């Protein structure tokens, strides 16, 4: 056999049954990615004799004697392929994990193909971008701007990793070759609730290549939580690394370590486990009733509020007198709204590689949003000194909150500490669905009253959140759910009750929207119903009742908090969206009498940064190369913080972003950073960067004045030099002068997530719905966002587009479906369908409010998370406008829509 890859011949022979994807990676072509191993996502796309194929579906031996081209071979003699250049010009990526496969498909298209992108891109999925930047790239649209000195803020600048991403040189967690690497696989529980009576290892240990088997009896018996927050008290310590009780289908039961993945998998199959199946409970209302099975029978040290009632946490609060307010109301709306379980579906699954160096220090290379807190958790679990552990990230392939957990690092590290060898654990796509985390399903009962003029008189909300078998993020998401969704409306009488409840389901966790998408869906649908009953236009109803800059933001309590109006743009967002919706876009509904048309809108308010502690340290200095060097702990996973941090430094120092070199997300090389979550990358880490840049500027100018004996006012910092009077000293020379004088041109500054400003979003949809098929077609989508000063408009618009696509997916397509035994029945991309290119054809008109925040760096506010909040209720409100039927569940799939329309058409039963 002979294999020619990117013009080079290889003598390696694939193993029997090996697919082309794994073979290519084993011989060093790491640009070929794994997103599904089922031919569903396209991240592994390569060319076979110039034809694009999913390499995970191709047996490697079929490449014998044929030309294989990967993303690394697309460039010619160092010159980028035109499609690689196009993806850079349009910034056609975010996390970049899907980009190599997307480019390989796009580069194979002819002119006719480019006229039918929904068809030709159906095999390539992107979770981050919303596809419109990809469409721009394929059609040659250039979106990036110039990197001009001192003008970085407000510029459409490209991510520094862009060329590495489009050429396949960007390294993600598993894109490395490690000598002596062992592979870890996990046996998972087939039962929703069971006690493990015995695990017999002999047959597993007899499998050739199996090195070790670990059960609950082998690991440290130390309670912890997989969630990562700066204040660990925010989450309950309710889990063990391996336990003798399984509480959901998919929970870890045992770990097998072997020389190969195949051997580890076979070892799992050979384990013999005796289970005592226990009663299980899946519905949170049932779980709170007397006599229900107890999911977490833990002591007070676990910080579970009422374990015998399966209640992790409860929130109760009231302002004014709700009953009095309802008595004063002319119109009252009551209804219970439900939201379903969905998944992050980032294309890079959870994965880690761990090893020990020659000093016995533990190194953890992982796909995480929180490397510093992950390090703390590992030190706690294994009684390790902080200086004996290093946790770091290469580029992270998407997160959306899902990687604010420790799901692979702990067991991988344990295996390395036991064996002394490097160990790798990579989740399959099925494991990502059944054994990581999800959004919290919630039931939200609303009762709201208003006078005939539209003024709210009473607001009452009861929230029941299903945290699943473990409480990671269960408490914090409940607090978030009961916060800004309530506080965005003025009302003298408010009453809120909330419960986070354990069940025997897969654990919920952090996800884009963090508890607020669920209650905002309920609140905004209920407000629309009230406006409809009062015959008040929806935009006007919000204007009557929305919080104003001089108001106190009141949710379940009137107590003072650190959440403040750093700026206010909700009124602008409403105006921008309403005008665009009135203006229209000329897109007509499909022909035929079965198509109904409707409009809907929704608003949201988001307090950036969690109310628990969030902090970041930035280290910034001038280097001997004349460039600025920034070390910051925040991870980059497509959220764009690296580019924003460069732009902040460049703006303050009057330089270009390209002169700012960034080291990030490495606990050995960066100061402490709580993590890239809760939209804190811009407003917390960004403020640390701003403070460091301001301090470095002053240090440089002070040294210039003293060293050259000139006045401080005569010194100026240019983009590549320091000038005084008529003398110009290039930055590299200035560094040398400072070093000779013993002056260090490096500073460290810290920032904290307080006070917390708020962002605002308004979403409008015009849709058509087919009353026979239940299909929804989006005719117009308009989004108004108040993000303060927009540091990078292109990047921020892309975040909005990505959030729109994800929100549309959660509402119209995606749903985790479980059988009566608590087992997920659609754990593949083929059956859990995230949006493809064809599903988000209608571009969203994105408008930014003109505001300047008092607390954010350069006047900016956070934006990555917030755009998703109003998507589902705006779609539901448009659907109600079209059909006259209120849909109380956030899953608006065709079958559900058809069923409700059909039921409403039937004669009422006497």
């Amino acid at each position: 056999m002979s294999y020619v890859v990117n013009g080079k011949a290889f003598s390696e022979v694939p193993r029997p049954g090996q697919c082309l994807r794994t073979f290519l990676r084993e011989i060093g072509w790491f640009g070929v990615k794994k997103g599904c191993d089922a031919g569903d996502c396209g991240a592994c796309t390569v060319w076979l004799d110039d034809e694009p194929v999913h390499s995970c579906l191709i047996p490697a031996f079929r490449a014998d004697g044929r030309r294989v081209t990967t993303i690394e071979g697309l460039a010619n003699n160092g010159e980028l392929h035109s499609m690689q250049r196009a993806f850079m010009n349009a910034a056609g990526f975010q996390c970049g994990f899907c980009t190599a496969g997307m480019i390989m498909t796009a580069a194979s298209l002819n002119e006719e193909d480019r006229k039918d992108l929904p068809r030709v891109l159906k095999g390539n999925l992107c979770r981050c971008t919303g596809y419109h930047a990809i469409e721009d790239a394929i059609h040659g649209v250039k979106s990036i701007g110039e990197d001009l000195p001192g003008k970085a803020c407000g510029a459409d600048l490209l991510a520094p990793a862009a060329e590495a991403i489009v050429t396949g040189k960007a390294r993600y967690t598993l894109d490395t070759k490690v000598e002596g690497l062992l592979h870890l696989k996990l046996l998972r529980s087939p039962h929703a609730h069971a006690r493990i009576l015995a695990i017999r290892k002999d047959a597993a240990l007899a499998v050739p290549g199996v090195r070790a088997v670990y059960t609950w009896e082998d690991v440290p018996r130390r309670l912890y939580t997989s969630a990562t927050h700066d204040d660990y008290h925010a989450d309950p310590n309710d889990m063990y690394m391996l336990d003798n009780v399984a509480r959901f289908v998919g929970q870890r039961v045992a770990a097998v370590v072997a020389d190969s993945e195949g051997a580890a998998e076979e070892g799992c199959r050979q384990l013999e486990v005796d289970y005592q199946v226990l009663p299980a409970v899946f519905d949170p209302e049932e779980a709170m009733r007397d006599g229900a099975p107890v999911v977490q029978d833990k002591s007070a040290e676990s910080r579970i509020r009422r374990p015998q009632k399966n209640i992790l946490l409860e929130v109760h609060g009231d302002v004014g007198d709700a009953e009095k307010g309802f008595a004063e109301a002319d119109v009252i709306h009551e209804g219970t709204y439900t939201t379903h379980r969905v998944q992050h579906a980032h294309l890079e699954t959870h994965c880690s590689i761990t090893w020990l160096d020659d000093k016995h220090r533990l190194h953890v290379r992982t796909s995480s949003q929180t490397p510093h807190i992950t390090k703390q958790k590992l030190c706690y679990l294994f009684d390790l000194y902080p200086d004996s552990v290093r946790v770091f990230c290469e580029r992270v392939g998407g997160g959306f909150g899902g990687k604010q957990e420790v799901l692979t690092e702990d067991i991988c590290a344990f295996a390395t500490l036991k064996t002394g060898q490097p160990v790798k654990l990579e989740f399959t796509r099925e494991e990502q669905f059944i054994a990581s985390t999800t959004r919290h399903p919630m039931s939200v009962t609303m009762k709201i009253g208003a006078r005939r003029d539209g003024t709210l008189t009473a607001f009452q909300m009861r929230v029941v959140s299903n945290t699943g078998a473990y409480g990671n993020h269960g408490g914090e998401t409940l607090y978030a759910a009961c916060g800004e969704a309530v506080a965005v409306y003025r009302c003298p009488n408010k009453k809120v009750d909330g419960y986070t409840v354990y069940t025997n389901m897969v654990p919920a966790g952090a996800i884009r929207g963090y508890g607020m998408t669920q209650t905002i869906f309920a609140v905004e649908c209920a407000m629309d119903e009230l406006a409809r009953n009062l015959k008040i236009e929806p935009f006007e109803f919000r204007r009557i009742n929305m919080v104003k800059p001089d108001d106190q933001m009141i949710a379940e309590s009137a107590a003072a908090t650190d959440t403040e109006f750093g700026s206010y743009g909700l009124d602008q967002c409403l105006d921008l969206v309403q005008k665009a919706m009135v203006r229209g876009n000329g897109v007509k509904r499909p022909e035929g009498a079965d198509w109904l048309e409707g409009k809907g809108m929704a608003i949201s308010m988001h307090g950036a940064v969690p109310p628990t502690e969030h902090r970041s340290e930035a280290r910034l200095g001038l280097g001997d190369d004349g460039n600025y060097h920034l070390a910051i702990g925040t991870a980059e996973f497509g959220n764009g913080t690296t580019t924003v941090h460069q732009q902040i430094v460049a703006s303050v120092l009057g330089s270009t972003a390209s002169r700012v070199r960034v080291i990030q997300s490495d606990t050995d090389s960066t100061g402490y950073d709580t993590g890239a979550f809760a939209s804190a990358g811009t407003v917390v880490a960004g403020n640390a960067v701003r403070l460091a840049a301001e301090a470095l500027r002053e240090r440089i100018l002070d040294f210039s004045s003293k060293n050259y004996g000139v006045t401080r006012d005569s010194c100026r910092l240019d983009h590549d030099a320091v000038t005084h009077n008529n003398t110009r000293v290039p930055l590299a020379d200035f560094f040398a002068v400072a070093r000779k004088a013993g002056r260090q041109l490096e500073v460290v500054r810290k920032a904290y997530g307080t006070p917390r400003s708020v962002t605002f979003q308004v979403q409008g949809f015009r849709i058509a719905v087919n009353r026979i098929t239940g299909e929804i077609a989006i005719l117009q989508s308009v989004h108004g966002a108040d993000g303060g000063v927009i540091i990078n408009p292109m990047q921020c618009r892309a975040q909005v587009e990505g959030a729109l696509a994800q929100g549309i997916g959660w509402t119209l397509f995606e749903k985790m479906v479980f059988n009566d035994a608590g087992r997920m029945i659609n754990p593949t991309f083929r059956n859990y369908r995230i949006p493809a290119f064809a599903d988000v054809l209608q571009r969203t008109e994105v408008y930014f409010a003109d505001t300047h925040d008092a607390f954010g760096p350069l006047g900016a506010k956070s934006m990555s998370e917030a755009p998703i909040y109003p998507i589902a209720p705006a779609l539901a409100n448009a659907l109600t406008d079209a059909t006259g039927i209120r849909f109380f569940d956030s899953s608006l799939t065709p079958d559900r829509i058809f069923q409700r329309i059909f039921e409403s058409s039937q004669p009422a039963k006497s």
Side-chain angles (χ1 to χ4, degrees):
M1 289 183 174
S2 65
Y3 294 87
V4 177
V5 183
N6 299 327
K8 298 178 181 180
F10 289 84
S11 58
E12 285 85 347
V13 177
R15 299 185 302 277
Q18 186 173 21
C19 73
L20 183 57
R21 181 191 69 80
T22 58
F23 179 65
L24 289 171
R25 289 182 61 83
E26 285 178 6
I27 59 177
W29 302 109
F30 293 118
V32 184
K33 297 291 189 276
K34 167 192 168 180
C36 66
D37 262 355
D40 295 333
C41 76
C44 66
T45 301
V46 301
W47 288 354
L48 200 56
D49 290 340
D50 299 328
E51 289 293 323
V53 297
H54 289 180
S55 59
C56 69
L57 297 181
I58 304 295
F61 77 87
R62 290 190 181 173
D64 178 28
R66 303 172 71 180
R67 297 188 317 278
V68 178
T69 307
T70 73
I71 188 69
E72 294 95 333
L74 205 55
N76 185 17
N77 295 323
E79 188 70 27
L80 293 185
H81 187 281
S82 60
M83 191 55 69
Q84 291 172 311
R85 179 65 62 188
F87 267 70
M88 288 182 64
N89 287 339
F93 57 87
Q94 285 183 27
C95 83
F97 199 78
C98 74
T99 305
M102 194 73 73
I103 289 176
M104 294 306 293
T105 296
S108 71
L109 305 179
N110 57 37
E111 283 303 313
E112 282 303 309
D113 290 334
R114 294 180 192 186
K115 296 175 183 177
D116 191 8
L117 293 182
R119 176 182 62 84
V120 296
L121 292 183
K122 65 182 179 181
N124 290 84
L125 298 177
C126 175
R127 188 54 153 175
C128 299
T129 65
Y131 297 101
H132 296 308
I134 292 170
E135 180 182 19
D136 286 345
I138 293 173
H139 291 311
V141 177
K142 185 174 182 179
S143 304
I144 60 172
E146 282 191 80
D147 185 11
L148 300 174
K151 297 184 178 180
C153 183
D156 295 328
L157 300 188
L158 193 58
E163 185 164 339
I165 288 171
V166 303
T167 57
K169 295 177 182 176
R171 289 293 174 255
Y172 295 79
T173 308
L174 301 183
D175 296 343
T176 185
K177 190 175 180 66
V178 181
E179 293 299 323
L181 183 67
L182 300 179
H183 300 264
L184 188 150
K185 286 293 181 181
L186 294 161
L187 177 68
R188 299 190 178 277
S189 172
H191 305 292
H193 201 189
R195 188 174 305 280
I196 298 168
L197 303 177
I199 302 177
R200 289 177 289 279
K201 305 177 182 180
D202 292 349
L205 289 168
V207 173
V210 169
R211 299 290 193 91
V213 176
Y214 303 117
T215 72
W216 69 274
E217 296 175 299
D218 303 303
V219 300
R221 193 71 174 164
R222 178 164 284 188
L223 283 168
Y224 72 108
T225 173
S226 64
T228 50
H229 280 115
D230 198 292
D231 180 3
Y232 70 89
H233 293 98
D235 306 291
N237 282 345
D238 59 2
M239 71 189 312
Y240 293 105
M241 199 180 309
L242 291 168
D243 203 351
N244 63 339
V245 176
R247 294 176 173 85
F248 69 97
V249 174
Q251 180 174 316
R252 301 173 180 177
V253 171
V256 176
V257 181
D259 293 333
S260 68
E261 285 192 54
E265 289 172 350
E266 181 59 25
C268 287
R269 285 190 286 267
Q270 292 301 320
L271 285 170
E272 299 174 13
V273 184
D274 293 337
Y275 295 98
Q276 177 191 358
V277 178
L278 303 172
V281 61
F282 305 116
D283 179 82
E285 294 283 4
E286 291 181 12
M288 289 190 287
R289 293 176 187 147
D290 292 338
V294 176
V295 179
Q296 288 284 356
D297 189 7
K298 299 284 196 301
S299 63
E301 66 174 321
S302 290
R303 300 184 296 279
I304 300 171
R305 191 66 57 89
R306 287 197 280 164
Q308 295 306 310
K309 299 286 285 184
N310 289 316
I311 295 174
L312 164 62
L313 183 80
E314 50 191 312
V315 173
H316 302 286
D318 55 77
V319 176
D321 185 339
E323 289 306 313
K324 179 174 176 288
F326 286 120
E328 296 172 355
D330 295 312
V331 176
I332 294 174
H333 167 72
E334 294 185 72
T336 296
Y337 296 84
T338 54
T339 57
H340 56 292
R341 194 180 295 272
V342 292
Q343 233 276 333
H344 315 76
H346 38 74
L347 289 195
E348 182 195 40
T349 61
H350 281 86
C351 52
S352 296
I353 299 175
T354 55
W355 69 91
L356 298 172
D357 64 17
D358 54 6
K359 296 180 180 179
H360 211 71
R361 288 188 78 223
L362 176 66
H363 295 256
V364 181
R365 175 175 173 139
T366 188
S367 184
S368 173
Q369 295 174 229
T370 56
H372 284 271
I373 302 180
T374 298
K375 171 181 171 176
Q376 291 178 341
K377 203 169 290 284
L378 295 176
C379 290
Y380 161 76
L381 283 171
F382 303 117
D383 283 325
L384 299 173
Y385 288 109
D387 61 2
S388 66
V389 179
R390 174 199 181 200
V391 177
F392 70 102
C393 306
E394 296 292 343
R395 193 166 180 88
V396 176
F400 311 112
K403 294 173 181 175
Q404 195 191 338
E405 306 275 351
V406 172
L407 296 178
T408 57
E409 298 89 346
D410 57 330
I411 194 69
C412 235
F414 173 78
T416 285
L417 291 170
K418 294 293 285 186
T419 64
Q421 287 190 244
V423 176
K424 164 190 161 184
L425 171 58
E426 178 184 19
F427 275 17
T428 64
R429 180 55 57 185
E430 180 175 353
E431 285 180 302
Q432 197 65 45
F433 279 114
I434 70 168
S436 61
T437 58
T438 71
R439 182 171 70 168
H440 289 76
M442 291 188 187
S443 171
V444 184
T445 300
M446 296 293 307
K447 182 179 181 181
I448 50 176
R451 296 187 179 91
R452 296 204 183 279
D453 64 1
T455 306
L456 290 174
T457 62
F459 183 114
Q460 185 171 313
M461 182 172 78
R462 179 182 183 270
V463 182
V464 177
S465 174
N466 186 342
T467 194
Y470 293 94
N472 42 302
H473 299 280
E476 291 298 281
T477 51
L478 183 64
Y479 282 122
C482 297
E484 290 92 320
V486 181
V488 73
Y489 287 104
R490 294 180 298 164
C491 182
N493 306 296
K494 293 181 178 180
K495 179 175 173 58
V496 175
D497 297 289
Y499 305 86
T500 296
V501 185
Y502 286 110
T503 65
N504 293 113
M505 296 295 290
V506 59
I511 194 169
R512 195 178 208 166
Y514 206 74
M516 287 175 58
T517 55
Q518 298 94 311
T519 48
I520 288 172
F521 173 76
V523 170
E524 289 302 296
C525 287
M527 290 297 172
D528 234 52
E529 282 299 293
L530 205 56
R532 185 178 298 275
N533 291 338
L534 290 165
K535 296 182 170 51
I536 299 176
E537 198 277 333
F539 283 91
E540 186 57 31
F541 184 80
R542 267 69 172 192
R543 289 189 181 95
I544 293 170
N545 292 292
M546 68 189 190
V547 70
K548 303 292 196 321
D550 293 332
D551 294 332
Q552 182 183 356
M553 286 179 271
I554 298 174
E556 84 291 350
S557 168
T561 71
D562 67 343
T563 304
E564 299 182 15
F565 291 112
S567 58
Y568 182 88
L570 179 53
D571 52 350
Q572 293 182 51
C573 292
L574 278 166
D575 292 345
L576 289 165
V577 174
Q578 186 174 26
K579 287 176 182 176
M581 295 293 288
V582 170
R583 186 169 60 244
N585 62 352
V587 178
K588 297 180 180 179
R589 70 170 181 258
E591 293 182 1
D594 291 331
W595 285 95
L596 310 173
E597 186 173 330
K599 292 181 180 180
M601 58 83 64
I603 70 171
S604 66
M605 179 173 75
H606 168 62
V609 187
T612 52
E613 190 70 28
H614 206 108
R615 52 201 166 106
S616 183
E617 176 184 303
R619 183 179 295 116
L620 180 65
L622 178 64
D624 59 4
D625 57 358
N627 292 314
Y628 299 105
H629 293 260
L630 171 66
I632 188 80
T634 301
E636 173 65 62
F637 52 95
N639 48 340
T641 52
T642 309
T643 321
V644 166
H645 293 166
Q646 283 185 312
Q647 290 178 261
I648 291 171
V649 172
S651 297
V652 173
L653 299 179
S655 187
T656 58
S658 60
R659 295 189 73 94
V660 182
R661 307 288 190 263
V662 182
I663 298 172
Q664 60 195 152
S665 54
D666 185 334
T667 61
D668 270 10
S669 306
T670 66
Y672 183 84
D673 183 279
T674 298
F677 63 89
S679 301
T682 294
V683 296
V684 181
N687 259 333
V689 170
R690 174 187 61 83
L691 292 168
E694 291 172 348
L696 181 61
R697 179 186 62 197
E698 296 309 303
R699 181 167 294 188
I700 289 172
L701 293 175
D702 284 346
F703 175 73
S704 177
S705 171
K706 293 172 183 177
N707 185 71
Y708 297 111
V710 297
T711 65
R712 175 71 162 67
D713 290 343
S714 68
C715 299
R716 191 175 77 251
L717 184 57
D718 290 339
H719 76 284
D720 59 353
V722 180
T723 63
H724 56 274
N725 297 328
N726 294 320
T727 303
R728 188 173 185 277
V729 184
L731 288 176
D733 296 342
F734 188 82
F735 173 88
V737 171
R739 181 166 57 183
K740 186 175 180 180
R743 182 63 168 164
Q744 186 181 35
L745 298 180
E746 185 179 52
V747 298
V748 174
R749 290 294 183 271
K750 298 178 182 180
Y752 301 85
T754 185
R756 304 165 64 228
S757 191
V758 289
T759 64
F760 296 99
Q761 319 292 136
V762 177
Q763 175 65 36
F765 281 114
R766 181 169 58 89
I767 68 166
V769 57
N770 191 296
R771 65 183 184 88
I772 302 301
T773 66
E775 176 190 358
I776 285 180
I778 296 174
L779 307 177
Q780 185 179 14
S781 173
V782 185
H783 193 90
D786 171 22
V789 173
I790 307 300
I791 294 176
N792 189 319
M794 172 189 68
Q795 189 170 269
C796 201
R797 188 173 292 107
Q799 288 291 323
V800 173
E801 291 174 346
L804 259 293
Q806 194 168 37
I808 289 168
W810 286 357
T811 309
L812 302 187
F813 309 118
E814 302 173 44
K815 186 175 184 179
M816 299 176 72
V817 182
F818 296 82
N819 65 16
D820 292 341
R823 178 186 296 276
M824 186 179 178
I825 62 175
N826 60 329
T828 66
F829 276 154
R830 192 160 302 184
N831 296 314
Y832 176 94
R833 197 167 76 78
I834 70 173
F837 183 94
D839 297 314
V840 284
L841 292 178
Q842 185 56 53
R843 286 187 176 237
T844 295
E845 303 167 47
V846 180
Y847 300 98
F848 295 116
D850 183 10
T851 61
H852 186 287
D853 198 67
F855 309 130
L858 310 183
K861 296 195 276 192
S862 62
M863 274 294 294
S864 291
E865 188 166 19
I868 203 165
Y869 293 128
I871 308 309
L875 280 168
N877 290 337
L879 182 58
T880 295
D881 187 50
T883 62
I885 302 167
R886 171 54 60 186
F887 291 77
F888 288 89
D889 188 85
S890 63
S891 178
L892 304 179
T893 53
D895 58 323
R896 288 170 170 262
I897 293 171
F898 167 77
Q899 184 67 27
R900 290 293 308 280
I901 293 175
F902 175 77
E903 289 172 354
S904 69
S905 68
Q906 300 305 299
K909 294 181 180 179
S910 57

